[in-house]
Amino acid sequence: SQLLSFFIATMKSVIFAAAIASAAAFAPAQVGKTTTSLNAFESELGAQAPLGFWDPLGFLDRADQETFDRLRYVELKHGRISQLAFLGQITTRAGYHLPGAIDGAGDSFADFPNGFAAIGGPDSIPGAGTGQILFFIGALELAVMKDVTGENEFVGDFRNGALDFGWDTFDEETKLSKRAIELNNGRAAMMGILGLMVHEQLGGSLPVVGEM
């Protein structure tokens, strides 16, 4: 269908752009390009072994603290979304789906394909269902997943004085360690979900994930 062709073309464009970005990331850095403002971020959370401070595309060459905080916020958000996306992929492909019907016709969640085909394929969920998903994500983005109360301890802290899970009982070293773990897991998940998107278009089978 035209919708499927559009989604496949869009996915190929995303994959191509990601490949170009990955190639640029391995380009040799220019000698002597380090500036005073860049040095200010070399000790920030996330500049850790084995790469240390790694900014091959030079986003921070002339950045101030506000710019860095914005980039860190975007990195955290994309990492969190990617972790959920990757977990969703391996869970549904393992055969686990929500119980009950997804629409008034009585179709179950398991009746629809896994991965991108669930919203962009010939057997995808109804358009109204996709619209509800997008509306829910928009509501989270605009009203929930943000610093509403102004009480954030760091960029990406969305507790808003309500959710804590014992965070305030940790010492500073433990807090930094857990934040670093989240960053690393998010970075790995971004690469992981991109890899799954590529293999979903290529087909075949993957360990743990199963048939694509």
Side-chain angles (χ1 to χ4, degrees):
S1 67
Q2 292 183 346
L3 179 60
L4 176 61
S5 299
F6 170 76
F7 276 112
I8 292 177
T10 302
M11 185 65 65
K12 288 181 178 179
S13 299
V14 171
I15 294 170
F16 177 75
I20 295 297
S22 299
F26 290 96
Q30 297 181 9
V31 178
K33 193 175 182 179
T34 303
T35 64
T36 303
S37 62
L38 187 147
N39 286 332
F41 304 116
E42 289 186 344
S43 59
E44 287 282 354
L45 185 72
Q48 53 204 42
L51 295 177
F53 180 80
W54 198 57
D55 181 31
L57 298 182
F59 286 118
L60 299 177
D61 285 353
R62 294 176 177 81
D64 55 16
Q65 188 64 45
E66 182 179 358
T67 301
F68 177 85
D69 288 344
R70 173 61 184 169
L71 292 172
R72 172 52 49 86
Y73 169 78
V74 171
E75 179 184 21
L76 279 168
K77 181 168 68 172
H78 288 176
R80 290 166 178 173
I81 292 171
S82 295
Q83 289 176 74
L84 290 172
F86 189 88
L87 182 61
Q89 278 270 16
I90 63 175
T91 300
T92 54
R93 291 187 184 280
Y96 298 99
H97 299 86
L98 292 174
I102 195 175
D103 56 24
D107 296 314
S108 69
F109 286 89
D111 291 335
F112 296 93
N114 301 310
F116 189 77
I119 60 173
D123 300 318
S124 62
I125 62 176
T130 303
Q132 292 177 42
I133 294 173
L134 294 176
F135 177 81
F136 178 68
I137 293 173
L140 291 177
E141 176 75 13
L142 295 175
V144 180
M145 303 306 294
K146 59 189 298 185
D147 179 28
V148 179
T149 63
E151 301 177 64
N152 64 317
E153 185 179 322
F154 50 86
V155 175
D157 178 8
F158 300 151
R159 289 176 295 162
N160 292 310
L163 301 175
D164 186 79
F165 300 111
W167 179 260
D168 288 333
T169 65
F170 300 142
D171 57 35
E172 289 304 315
E173 183 178 355
T174 302
K175 288 181 178 180
L176 287 174
S177 174
K178 289 185 177 296
R179 290 174 59 196
I181 290 171
E182 181 188 21
L183 267 177
N184 277 342
N185 288 347
R187 291 165 176 173
M190 284 188 273
M191 298 302 296
I193 193 61
L194 180 61
L196 289 182
M197 291 164 65
V198 171
H199 280 285
E200 189 170 0
Q201 297 302 314
L202 297 177
S205 179
L206 292 175
V208 181
V209 180
E211 289 295 325
M212 301 299 290

